[in-house]
């Protein structure tokens, strides 16, 4: 994992030095709404760049579930401004947009969606740096990025080592003003990035298990503390670091990767524009109830190691699922489509979601139990209450 981590209080003032160290001479600052400006963060970043003689342009307005069209606008601006470095400021949406712009700037004339759909093999990109403000997606250290194609209503991820940022500046104090719902969504996303790598059958990699289980216990405990007091520096620093470790592939070493719940969540957020973390908690319990009997031992191990549950085999497995769902509820996350605010009345919509999640029934989801469109439809039905 090549990303350099610069962690701690006031680390954003080292931004210019980091850009210069990694070869940047002109940066495009990619960020979301007005809070980065109102909080003074952008001003501190700009001053840091100026002190190191780094020119810059700005590209603000990134929204949750980042869109393809907006990223393409950023590519055009980056090419026009002749930037050689992209600086993402914010959470996963801003960082993923920065990654997309970086690919587009380095490959002028190639449509971003062709890169995303791997019609074009990506061989080069523009360097990206990150100033993280939301502990959640882990995009600051990950090899992945997600975009939504608004025209066709599809949300898709791109995995490539070229997505790894050159550096990530992580100051937990930048998270203190986050709304509690956003903190909850972040906790859910961090947990899910680990759970999606954890529920793989026939595991004998104890060290990776121990890392994943320790990370989950830390997120669960620190998440409670952060929601009680969002200005708790220690709790937020733990969440921030867990977010990075959860999605840099450390917790999946030696394993297959299973992002089936993410596929379900992407189908929901592409259609209904819901918060990403909330779409995951809305369906995880239904997914777990549908697949747990295919590897009871794995769910028993999870319940014991993460939740400290002891009992008969099947009761322990079930209670581990129930404890997880209850925790999601306790941090203000929805655990059904109804609680997500999109209770679906017609069967046709559920069928379309199942087809979206499985790419028109051409992809089988889940390693524990391969899921086709009919299986995914059943999971959506279970979650639709």
């Amino acid at each position: 994992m090549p990303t350099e981590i610069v962690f701690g209080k006031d680390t954003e003032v080292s931004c210019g030095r980091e850009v210069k160290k990694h070869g940047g001479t002109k940066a495009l600052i990619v960020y979301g709404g007005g809070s980065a400006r109102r909080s003074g963060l952008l001003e501190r970043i700009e001053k840091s760049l100026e002190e190191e003689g780094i020119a810059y342009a700005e590209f603000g307005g990134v929204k949750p579930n980042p869109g393809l069209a907006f990223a393409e606008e950023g590519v055009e601006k980056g090419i026009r401004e002749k930037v050689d470095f992209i600086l993402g400021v914010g959470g996963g949406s801003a960082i993923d947009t920065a990654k997309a712009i970086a690919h587009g700037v380095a490959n002028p004339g190639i449509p971003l969606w062709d890169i995303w759909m791997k019609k074009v093999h990506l061989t080069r990109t523009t360097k990206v740096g990150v100033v993280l403000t939301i502990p959640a997606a882990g995009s600051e250290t990950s090899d992945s990025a997600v975009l939504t194609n608004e025209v066709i209503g599809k949300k898709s991820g791109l995995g490539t080592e070229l997505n790894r940022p050159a550096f990530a500046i992580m100051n937990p104090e930048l998270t203190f003003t986050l709304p509690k719902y956003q903190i909850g969504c972040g906790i859910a996303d961090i947990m899910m990035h680990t759970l999606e790598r954890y529920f793989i059958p026939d595991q004998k990699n104890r060290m990776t298990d121990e890392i994943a289980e320790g990370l989950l216990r830390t997120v669960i405990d620190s998440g409670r503390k952060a929601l009680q007091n969002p200005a708790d520096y220690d709790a937020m620093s733990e969440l921030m670091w867990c977010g990075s470790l959860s999605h840099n592939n450390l917790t999946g070493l030696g394993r297959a990767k299973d992002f089936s719940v993410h596929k379900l969540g992407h189908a929901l957020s592409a259609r209904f524009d819901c918060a990403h973390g909330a779409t995951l908690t809305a369906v995880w319990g239904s997914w777990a109830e549908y697949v747990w009997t295919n590897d009871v031992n794995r769910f028993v191990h999870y319940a014991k190691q993460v939740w400290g549950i002891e009992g008969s085999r099947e009761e322990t497995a079930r209670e581990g699922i129930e404890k997880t769902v209850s925790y999601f509820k306790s941090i203000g996350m929805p655990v059904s489509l109804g609680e997500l605010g999109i209770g679906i009345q017609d069967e046709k919509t559920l069928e379309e979601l199942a087809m979206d999640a499985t790419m028109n029934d051409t992809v089988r989801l889940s390693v524990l139990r391969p899921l086709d469109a009919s299986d995914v439809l059943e999971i959506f039905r279970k979650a639709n209450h």
Side-chain angles (χ1 to χ4, degrees):
M1 199 281 292
T3 305
E4 178 188 356
I5 305 297
V6 186
F7 199 103
K9 296 179 181 181
D10 303 321
T11 44
E12 64 272 17
V13 301
S14 67
C15 197
R17 186 169 67 247
E18 290 299 318
V19 172
K20 188 174 185 178
K21 181 167 67 177
H22 290 280
T25 61
K26 185 173 184 179
L28 181 67
I29 305 173
V30 179
Y31 62 97
S35 60
R37 175 66 70 191
R38 291 192 301 272
S39 67
L41 174 59
L42 277 182
E43 185 179 355
R44 294 195 297 278
I45 290 170
E46 291 162 355
K47 182 180 178 183
S48 174
L49 293 171
E50 290 164 2
E51 287 174 349
E52 295 295 336
I54 307 294
Y56 60 86
E58 293 181 356
F59 187 65
V62 177
K63 293 181 171 57
N65 298 314
L68 173 65
F70 185 79
E72 287 175 332
E73 288 179 31
V75 171
E76 292 174 6
K77 182 161 188 177
I79 293 172
R80 189 168 63 246
E81 295 283 349
K82 297 180 179 178
V83 302
D84 57 12
F85 201 95
I86 313 297
L87 185 60
V89 179
S93 295
I95 299 168
D96 284 2
T97 302
K99 291 177 179 181
I101 292 171
H103 300 334
V105 168
N107 299 275
I110 298 177
L112 276 183
W113 199 244
D114 283 356
I115 294 173
W116 242 250
M117 294 294 100
K118 297 185 177 178
K119 292 180 180 178
V120 175
H121 180 58
L122 190 65
T123 60
R124 62 182 181 271
T125 191
T126 314
K127 283 193 176 181
V128 172
V130 172
V131 180
L132 184 67
T133 64
I134 304 171
S139 190
E140 66 277 3
T141 58
S142 79
D143 62 358
S144 64
V146 177
L147 280 182
T148 299
N149 186 328
E150 307 94 324
V151 175
I152 62 174
K154 180 176 176 58
K155 184 176 184 179
S156 184
L158 173 70
T160 168
E161 284 298 311
L162 293 174
N163 272 331
R164 303 274 195 187
F167 67 82
I169 289 171
M170 301 165 65
N171 175 4
E173 290 181 322
L174 300 179
T175 71
F176 286 179
T177 58
L178 288 173
K180 289 191 175 183
Y181 185 75
Q182 200 164 10
I183 296 172
C185 285
I187 293 165
D189 204 12
I190 295 169
M191 290 181 67
M192 212 64 66
H193 283 153
T194 304
L195 293 171
E196 296 271 54
R197 293 173 167 92
Y198 187 86
F199 285 105
I200 306 294
D202 302 320
Q203 286 305 305
K204 295 180 176 64
N205 190 335
R206 178 180 172 183
M207 191 64 246
T208 296
D209 271 1
E210 294 280 358
I211 293 169
E213 290 153 6
L215 191 152
L216 287 166
R217 291 193 301 268
T218 301
V219 172
I220 289 164
D221 180 56
S222 298
R224 291 191 181 107
K225 292 175 181 175
L227 284 167
Q228 288 173 357
N229 176 17
D232 183 330
Y233 182 91
D234 291 333
M236 280 300 195
S237 72
E238 296 290 353
L239 286 182
M240 201 171 237
W241 188 226
C242 283
S244 292
L245 297 184
S246 73
H247 205 29
N248 70 0
N249 288 334
L250 177 65
T251 61
L253 284 175
R255 295 190 180 133
K257 188 183 289 187
D258 179 355
F259 269 59
S260 51
V261 177
H262 267 72
K263 300 288 188 187
L264 274 62
H266 285 171
L268 291 168
S269 57
R271 181 176 288 248
F272 299 105
D273 198 27
C274 303
H276 173 60
T279 65
L280 302 178
T281 60
V283 297
W284 186 86
S286 297
W287 169 84
E289 289 172 8
Y290 198 79
V291 303
W292 75 274
T293 55
N294 288 76
D295 196 345
V296 178
N297 289 340
R298 192 67 181 150
F299 278 87
V300 169
H301 186 76
Y302 166 73
K304 287 181 176 179
Q305 297 300 115
V306 175
W307 296 105
I309 298 167
E310 296 287 347
S312 69
R313 187 165 168 266
E314 292 198 357
E315 285 177 356
T316 299
R318 284 185 172 277
E319 192 174 346
I321 296 170
E322 290 167 5
K323 281 274 190 182
T324 308
V325 172
S326 294
Y327 179 76
F328 291 152
K329 283 185 176 181
S330 75
I331 62 171
M333 289 292 99
V335 295
S336 68
L337 300 189
E339 290 183 14
L340 186 60
I342 57 166
I344 297 169
Q345 305 301 318
D346 60 300
E347 182 76 1
K348 184 172 182 293
T349 300
L350 292 174
E351 291 171 355
E352 289 171 351
L353 286 167
M355 293 298 279
D356 289 345
T358 59
M359 297 185 71
N360 292 320
D361 207 17
T362 62
V363 175
R364 297 294 174 265
L365 308 184
S366 188
V367 179
L368 280 178
R369 172 181 174 177
L371 306 173
D372 60 18
S374 63
D375 294 309
V376 173
L377 176 59
E378 285 302 314
I379 293 171
F380 277 132
R381 283 173 177 155
K382 286 171 70 71
N384 191 34
H385 61 269

